[in-house]
Amino acid sequence: NGTTEDVKKIVATLNAGELPSTDIVEVVVSPPFVFLPIVKSELRPEIQVAAQNCWVKKGGAFTGEVSAEMLANLGVPWVILGHSERRALLNETNEFVGDKVAYALSQGLKVIACVGETLEQREAGTTMKVVAAQTKAIADKISSWDNVVLAYEPVWAIGTGKVASPAQAQEVHAGLRKWFEENISADVAATTRIIYGGSVSGSNCKELAGQPDVDGFLVGGASLKPEFIDIIKAAEVKCA
């Protein structure tokens, strides 16, 4: 999405917004690759930037790809990996995503790793099986979760206007936390942030943010609108 003009407008809105302090919420925005330098240079310093993807291994003759090394060189601290659109449209497998996460971490990047089920999988009752397999493929490749945020994005709720109810979101987040406890450690279960992504808006963010196992949001379309500030402020729900 976007032109330089659009991106500058969003940056101006964020720069002017009244945001909670960084000890309450960590704000990361993820413009397309071509806009990363301009956003990074013009955005207020407490808001960080993320790339929307990166290559699975060391840079080289992989035309059209952007390596983790390049992002590190630009001072981009975060990258989103395994987004449902890349899994669906570009056939990225669980194992491929696991390799990507491991390589990005090895280059000093922090990772927002996405997991989530399709409508067919939810209706078949396999939601937890699907997200556990996606999480396991990452766990198999990494030794520490310190720099990983897990984003649960029900594919059926992305850009559709359908939202998982707060109870549905909480159920999957709690299931993922339990998976961490049983398969990795109680410490990782307690400290890994699990954020929700799927048609989050200014009107539903507070109720979602109030769920005990929802630690934040991966915001899509609403991040392009002024209501993004309201969504960021929803972090204050748990401080009340």
Side-chain angles (χ1 to χ4, degrees):
N1 272 309
T3 61
T4 306
E5 218 169 57
D6 297 334
V7 168
K8 283 186 172 179
K9 275 184 196 157
I10 296 169
V11 168
T13 301
L14 287 168
N15 283 346
E18 280 184 44
L19 303 182
S21 63
T22 51
D23 58 339
I24 290 174
V25 65
E26 194 170 13
V27 183
V28 181
V29 295
S30 188
F33 285 125
V34 290
F35 299 126
L36 279 168
I38 190 171
V39 170
K40 194 169 180 300
S41 67
E42 297 198 6
L43 200 55
R44 58 204 277 184
E46 70 269 33
I47 301 179
Q48 302 170 71
V49 293
Q52 295 181 5
N53 179 46
C54 67
W55 181 236
V56 68
K57 52 189 168 187
K58 196 172 192 297
F62 307 106
T63 301
E65 289 296 326
V66 172
S67 69
E69 288 89 343
M70 290 176 190
L71 297 176
N73 179 249
L74 279 178
V76 172
W78 287 90
V79 63
I80 299 172
L81 296 173
H83 192 281
S84 61
E85 287 156 9
R86 296 201 63 88
R87 290 178 187 264
L89 302 174
L90 293 140
N91 301 317
E92 292 194 3
T93 64
N94 292 353
E95 292 69 31
F96 187 68
V97 173
D99 285 334
K100 276 187 161 185
V101 172
Y103 192 76
L105 291 173
S106 79
Q107 296 308 302
L109 299 178
K110 293 189 268 193
V111 175
I112 298 165
C114 304
V115 299
E117 85 284 19
T118 63
L119 186 59
E120 294 74 22
Q121 289 164 334
R122 173 161 279 272
E123 288 176 344
T126 58
T127 294
M128 272 321 300
K129 187 179 167 190
V130 169
V131 296
Q134 291 170 336
T135 308
K136 182 180 186 298
I138 296 166
D140 286 348
K141 301 282 170 67
I142 68 174
S143 55
S144 167
W145 284 82
D146 289 353
N147 289 318
V148 182
V149 170
L150 196 65
Y152 166 58
E153 38 162 27
V155 182
W156 48 273
I158 298 170
T160 59
K162 287 182 185 175
V163 187
S165 68
Q168 284 174 317
Q170 166 59 22
E171 184 185 16
V172 178
H173 282 235
L176 284 164
R177 214 172 289 287
K178 188 178 171 206
W179 186 90
F180 277 130
E181 200 169 332
E182 291 172 352
N183 296 277
I184 317 249
S185 73
D187 183 51
V188 166
T191 57
T192 301
R193 287 176 286 178
I194 306 174
I195 63 176
Y196 172 76
S199 296
V200 177
S201 68
S203 58
N204 63 28
C205 58
K206 281 190 177 172
E207 200 181 352
L208 284 163
Q211 300 305 307
D213 289 297
V214 174
D215 300 321
F217 300 125
L218 181 65
V219 186
S223 66
L224 307 174
K225 303 170 187 168
E227 69 182 294
F228 187 36
I229 303 283
D230 299 326
I231 296 170
I232 294 167
K233 284 181 177 171
E236 293 171 327
V237 167
K238 285 199 170 80
C239 305

